[in-house]
Amino acid sequence: MQVFSNLRFSVDLPPGHRFPMPKYELLRDRVLAECPGLQPVEAPPASDGELALVHTPAYIRAVAEGTLAPAAQREIGFPWSERMVQRSRRSVGATIAAARAALAGGVALHLAGGTHHAYADKGSGYCVFNDVAVAARLMQAEVFRRGRRGLRVWVIDLDVHQGNGTAAIFRADPTVFTLSLHGARNFPFRKEPGDLDVDLPDGCTDGPYLDALEAALDQAWQRQTAGGEAPGLAFYLAGADPHEGDRLGRLRLSDAGLAERDRLVFDTLRAHRVPVAVTMAGGYGRDIATTVAVQLRTVQLAHAAWAAWQAEAGPGPAP
């Protein structure tokens, strides 16, 4: 399984900043130490042209040149720097690489990404550019250039926060189906309507969560295939922040519950032969080691899903 990282472009944040930037290095180190056969590699940065498949030229330019208005910079939550720009481009580039690898091999993974609060014309909530949206648009364009039929995309967003930017970007696009399970009372407090949104109450535990997810996956599949056109690529935002130990999550999923969540997603996609690019999305554990352990388990289960995909006879769906 191909695994991508943009760790070299980590951003130095001010002391006391709420975003747990060290989790990416900790996760990469544990993957290297505990996942035989997985070797994270660095992907190239996304170009202005690739970003412009989703983002407005004025916004791309303002980010690149450091001319964002102070309010826009505060909404993102990171201080501007050249490294912030490079990290944001590399994060999109790594998800693009994971999407290409998934189309070729069934399952691929980016050890960061899932920046789903970024809109076409602004960033928000520690998200500068929307990596999944850009990768989805680019894969559709590349498939079209190869003279093959249109690529339909399924976004499965299981971060505890609704992917408002992604939902807004694809609101009028029937070729991309957005599914989100998220805390009803959590950020963003003004949700954007996606194709299928499942609001969960504070304190939601394993059983109700998994029941809701199973029903949502089934409903999403039925709705997408009602016209006879199945998705040819999925993006899975495997947030660690529904965990009971998360500072910001407000849900109460256990380690076992989150592992079962991942299995359910991977099993569903493999049963339907839909390739998947996985991103780590959010995670804000009171103990950063808790977040890293949840994400490591997602990596291990993705690797197992890739092995099962390889072992099964028959080609995946032609994109």
Side-chain angles (χ1 to χ4, degrees):
M1 181 179 75
Q2 294 190 55
V3 179
F4 300 91
S5 171
N6 59 336
L7 176 65
R8 188 161 61 92
F9 298 89
S10 181
V11 177
D12 295 325
L13 296 176
H17 197 283
R18 296 179 75 191
F19 190 83
M21 192 67 70
K23 68 181 180 179
Y24 299 115
E25 182 174 7
L26 293 169
L27 177 60
R28 191 278 313 270
D29 290 349
R30 290 198 64 182
V31 168
L32 288 170
E34 301 176 42
C35 300
L38 296 186
Q39 183 67 43
V41 298
E42 187 176 291
S47 68
D48 283 358
E50 290 167 341
L51 294 174
L53 292 170
V54 166
H55 295 287
T56 63
Y59 177 61
I60 297 168
R61 185 168 55 251
V63 171
E65 297 175 357
T67 58
L68 287 169
Q73 195 66 55
R74 286 194 299 272
E75 186 170 358
I76 290 173
F78 291 142
W80 187 91
S81 67
E82 290 285 354
R83 287 184 68 83
M84 185 273 279
V85 177
Q86 278 300 310
R87 178 183 182 275
S88 301
R89 288 185 181 274
R90 294 275 176 171
S91 185
V92 177
T95 298
I96 289 171
R100 287 196 184 111
L103 285 170
V107 183
L109 190 138
H110 175 195
L111 293 177
T115 47
H116 58 170
H117 298 311
Y119 286 70
D121 60 350
K122 69 172 186 175
S124 181
Y126 308 133
C127 302
V128 180
F129 299 124
N130 195 309
D131 62 314
V132 165
V134 173
R137 284 272 188 259
L138 184 58
M139 294 307 100
Q140 289 179 321
E142 290 182 352
V143 164
F144 181 78
R145 284 200 297 268
R146 292 198 296 269
R148 304 172 77 176
R149 72 170 187 261
L151 178 70
R152 300 180 69 85
V153 174
W154 186 4
V155 179
I156 302 172
D157 190 339
L158 302 188
D159 189 282
V160 82
H161 306 105
Q162 195 232 14
N164 53 335
T166 308
I169 288 165
F170 293 122
R171 180 176 297 140
D173 187 345
T175 71
V176 180
F177 190 98
T178 59
L179 163 63
S180 177
L181 269 72
H182 49 260
R185 298 176 57 196
N186 213 321
F187 180 89
F189 302 108
R190 178 182 175 274
K191 309 289 194 284
E192 298 280 358
D195 291 296
L196 179 54
D197 291 302
V198 180
D199 295 322
L200 300 168
D202 287 0
C204 183
T205 54
D206 293 352
Y209 184 99
L210 293 170
D211 287 346
L213 175 58
E214 186 171 13
L217 290 171
D218 182 65
Q219 182 182 348
W221 180 258
Q222 296 302 323
R223 286 175 55 182
Q224 289 179 88
T225 57
E229 195 76 29
L233 175 66
F235 291 90
Y236 174 33
L237 285 71
D241 40 14
H243 190 266
E244 59 192 351
D246 198 86
R247 289 183 291 115
L248 306 181
R250 303 176 69 159
L251 304 188
R252 294 183 57 194
L253 272 69
S254 67
D255 291 345
L258 282 171
E260 186 58 31
R261 173 201 70 171
D262 292 343
R263 288 191 196 94
L264 183 55
V265 171
F266 291 134
D267 288 351
T268 298
L269 293 173
R270 193 175 76 252
H272 295 307
R273 299 300 285 173
V274 180
V276 58
V278 185
T279 64
M280 294 291 98
Y284 309 89
R286 297 181 186 93
D287 178 357
I288 196 170
T290 300
T291 294
V292 173
V294 170
Q295 293 180 330
L296 178 67
R297 186 60 175 163
T298 296
V299 174
Q300 293 167 331
L301 290 168
H303 195 193
W306 172 84
W309 180 284
Q310 301 302 309
E312 290 175 351

